[in-house]
Amino acid sequence: AQSVTQLDSQVPVFEEAPVELRCNYSSSVSVYLFWYVQYPNQGLQLLLKYLSGSTLVKGINGFEAEFNKSQTSFHLRKPSVHISDTAEYFCAVSPLFNAGNMLTFGGGTRLMVKP
Amino acid sequence: DGGITQSPKYLFRKEGQNVTLSCEQNLNHDAMYWYRQDPGQGLRLIYYSQIVNDFQKGDIAEGYSVSREKKESFPLTVTSAQKNPTAFYLCASSISRGGLFWGSNTGELFFGEGSRLTVL
């Protein structure tokens, strides 16, 4: 089984400042990793994903994440945030080579960008 | 454009009434899911279906029912047995995790826009 921990439930930050949203996971097998974003009263939208290859993954809206296998982390970063980045962000994992297994989500981190 | 359509976007229900939320997808995905979202509690899986005419309970299935008569459709009924039905409901789909073609089966979910149910 897998578990995902998002260490911060809320992250307030000023506009144009950098931000890092933390995600750690636990799994006995190799995993795929995902970050989703949810704007108010909307569904989840894929931000980026790590499947294999380079550990630094670039996504939409200027976000990037780095997979660190030794630390079982997949932290999300953006060098300069905008007001429009205010949303809830979810980290998720799914195991390789396991038929029927689905995404396991973290509890979410609410990013609040202040002017 | 391919995607997932949920309806209605907003729904009000009196206590004791059943209500059905619609979810339709044209992505040709085998698997479909229903999640419930409450403030501060993330996503909780209600039901999922990997193939037509088959579905399994998730973590919080009590008070809910589903059907999967067509590949494209996975409606969720919130019954009067659900004690606290006011929530935001999300439908999702994915390529089935079964089979030999693991390269395309990453478990990635595609979500609809959600339905907000309020019990008066």
Side-chain angles (χ1 to χ4, degrees):
Chain A
Q2 292 71 44
S3 67
V4 179
T5 302
Q6 292 182 243
L7 297 163
D8 306 299
S9 59
Q10 295 186 60
V11 173
V13 63
F14 286 105
E15 193 173 20
E16 297 183 8
V19 71
E20 178 180 84
L21 306 184
R22 296 180 293 170
C23 172
N24 287 87
Y25 69 91
S26 173
S27 176
S28 57
V29 300
S30 296
V31 294
Y32 298 118
L33 298 125
F34 305 84
W35 275 100
Y36 284 86
V37 59
Q38 183 182 32
Y39 300 103
N41 291 312
Q42 293 188 25
L44 275 69
Q45 176 184 357
L46 183 68
L47 204 53
L48 50 79
K49 60 187 174 185
Y50 173 78
L51 305 181
S52 64
S54 172
T55 57
L56 184 63
V57 181
K58 294 190 183 297
I60 62 172
N61 300 340
F63 283 93
E64 64 180 31
E66 186 156 21
F67 170 48
N68 188 319
K69 188 173 183 179
S70 62
Q71 297 188 6
T72 60
S73 68
F74 191 51
H75 301 331
L76 182 70
R77 303 185 183 99
K78 186 169 183 177
S80 175
V81 295
H82 300 132
I83 294 286
S84 60
D85 292 323
T86 295
E88 185 122 24
Y89 293 79
F90 291 94
C91 182
V93 303
S94 72
L96 278 67
F97 309 125
N98 247 337
N101 281 18
M102 297 165 291
L103 287 191
T104 299
F105 286 91
T109 297
R110 185 172 299 277
L111 177 62
M112 300 175 292
V113 181
K114 300 180 284 185
Chain B
D1 286 341
I4 299 177
T5 302
Q6 289 187 239
S7 62
K9 177 75 173 174
Y10 298 96
L11 186 61
F12 298 90
R13 180 193 107 176
K14 294 181 180 179
E15 282 193 29
Q17 286 182 335
N18 291 356
V19 62
T20 297
L21 307 180
S22 170
C23 177
E24 303 278 333
Q25 56 99 358
N26 60 4
L27 298 169
N28 200 32
H29 285 169
D30 290 309
M32 297 187 74
Y33 312 80
W34 275 105
Y35 288 89
R36 170 178 171 143
Q37 190 175 26
D38 296 283
Q41 293 196 38
L43 296 166
R44 292 186 289 171
L45 183 64
I46 305 172
Y47 268 98
Y48 65 99
S49 168
Q50 302 264 6
I51 196 169
V52 174
N53 292 323
D54 188 42
F55 48 82
Q56 286 77 41
K57 293 181 179 180
D59 301 319
I60 55 164
E62 184 175 352
Y64 299 97
S65 66
V66 293
S67 63
R68 187 83 188 278
E69 297 176 1
K70 299 186 300 181
K71 185 176 184 178
E72 301 79 18
S73 178
F74 191 42
L76 174 74
T77 297
V78 185
T79 74
S80 56
Q82 169 52 235
K83 301 301 182 192
N84 184 20
T86 294
F88 191 54
Y89 292 88
L90 287 161
C91 180
S93 71
S94 71
I95 298 171
S96 176
R97 294 305 306 277
L100 299 174
F101 302 101
W102 297 112
S104 63
N105 296 349
T106 64
E108 178 181 345
L109 290 178
F110 296 77
F111 285 86
E113 288 295 298
S115 294
R116 184 167 297 281
L117 172 64
T118 302
V119 174
L120 304 173

